[in-house]
Amino acid sequence: MNYLSLGIQIIIMLLFIVFAVFFLVQFYNIVFRGYAPFISSKKKIIKKIIEKLDLKEDGVIYELGCGSAGFLRAAREKFPKARLVGFEYSFLPYVIAQIQNSLSKSKIIVRKENIFKISLNEADVLYCYLNILTMKRLEDKIKAEGKPGLKIISYQFPLPNIKAGEILEDGKDKVYFYSL
Ligand SMILES: C[S@@+](CC[C@H](N)C(=O)[O-])C[C@H]1O[C@@H](n2cnc3c(N)ncnc32)[C@H](O)[C@@H]1O
């Protein structure tokens, strides 16, 4: 066996270990902690949301559980001066988001943090694609920390006790729009 094929085998093995650890951690967090899995929002839905979205020039958008931060990269084109921040607790999506941001030279900030350990009080817009349980927990946090006028946009999963001002429907997809 030459060094090249040994090197390739080691790289494949390392990649396998990284993915295995990622799936085990995801499995644990989804099953035992009730966290949302890493699934990206559909691009056509993001496009529709951003078309509707209004934001002051220097506004702040947070993507909570940003995955690869596709929403923020799309928002950057419409709001070049806004502060766009994604929060993602899981290592692999966080790394993917950082790589995609550097490739697209996007000035988006992605922080590796649990959304329940950050403060929401600077945000003008929150974008979420999470799950029922997380939205329930998030609702209390939004009520406690969200500033008046805060807009919340949630893909597929509504806030349980706040009435949506608008619901965008596209086949099986639903997007809930709220304003505090
Ligand atoms: C359904 S994906 C959505 C990804 C992205 N927002 C999108 O719309 O394409 C949910 C993401 O939230 C992350 N997540 C779930 N719970 C979280 C938490 N408590 N703190 C930070 N990230 C979280 C997951 O790791 C996953 O990447």
Side-chain angles (χ1 to χ4, degrees):
M1 190 189 299
N2 63 31
Y3 285 121
L4 184 65
S5 64
L6 181 67
I8 291 170
Q9 278 188 26
I10 290 173
I11 289 169
I12 292 171
M13 209 143 66
L14 286 175
L15 283 176
F16 176 78
I17 292 169
V18 168
F19 281 105
V21 169
F22 170 71
F23 284 111
L24 278 176
V25 172
Q26 280 272 305
F27 179 80
Y28 176 82
N29 282 331
I30 294 163
V31 174
F32 297 106
R33 298 173 80 187
Y35 284 10
F38 174 37
I39 304 168
S40 296
S41 299
K42 289 184 190 163
K43 282 195 176 155
K44 68 167 186 173
I45 300 292
I46 291 181
K47 197 166 167 247
K48 285 187 178 186
I49 298 171
I50 288 176
E51 272 167 15
K52 292 172 77 64
L53 188 60
D54 267 338
L55 183 75
K56 59 181 177 177
E57 202 179 58
D58 60 347
V60 178
I61 305 182
Y62 282 3
E63 183 171 4
L64 301 180
C66 67
S68 57
F71 180 83
L72 295 180
R73 271 193 305 282
R76 167 58 72 215
E77 288 169 25
K78 183 167 171 187
F79 307 110
K81 293 194 175 154
R83 189 159 162 252
L84 308 179
V85 191
F87 299 91
E88 173 57 54
Y89 83 98
S90 181
F91 179 73
L92 197 59
Y94 167 77
V95 170
I96 293 172
Q98 296 288 22
I99 292 171
Q100 291 195 344
N101 288 346
S102 348
L103 291 178
S104 62
K105 298 193 169 61
S106 187
K107 288 196 188 111
I108 291 166
I109 302 160
V110 178
R111 287 170 39 188
K112 192 178 170 310
E113 282 191 71
N114 185 330
I115 56 172
F116 292 101
K117 298 205 169 144
I118 60 158
S119 167
L120 303 178
N121 61 13
E122 284 185 7
D124 297 297
V125 175
L126 302 177
Y127 176 70
C128 329
Y129 176 22
L130 294 160
N131 65 11
I132 295 174
L133 210 70
T134 312
M135 291 311 285
K136 196 167 175 234
R137 254 186 99 191
L138 195 58
E139 186 172 273
D140 295 334
K141 189 170 169 63
I142 288 172
K143 282 179 179 163
E145 298 173 13
K147 63 182 175 191
L150 170 69
K151 292 175 185 157
I152 304 120
I153 304 165
S154 180
Y155 182 36
Q156 301 296 37
F157 302 102
L159 289 165
N161 302 303
I162 303 179
K163 194 175 173 341
E166 189 184 344
I167 302 174
L168 185 158
E169 293 195 47
D170 184 321
K172 285 185 181 167
D173 297 302
K174 280 191 178 181
V175 183
Y176 302 85
F177 293 82
Y178 304 88
S179 192
L180 285 193

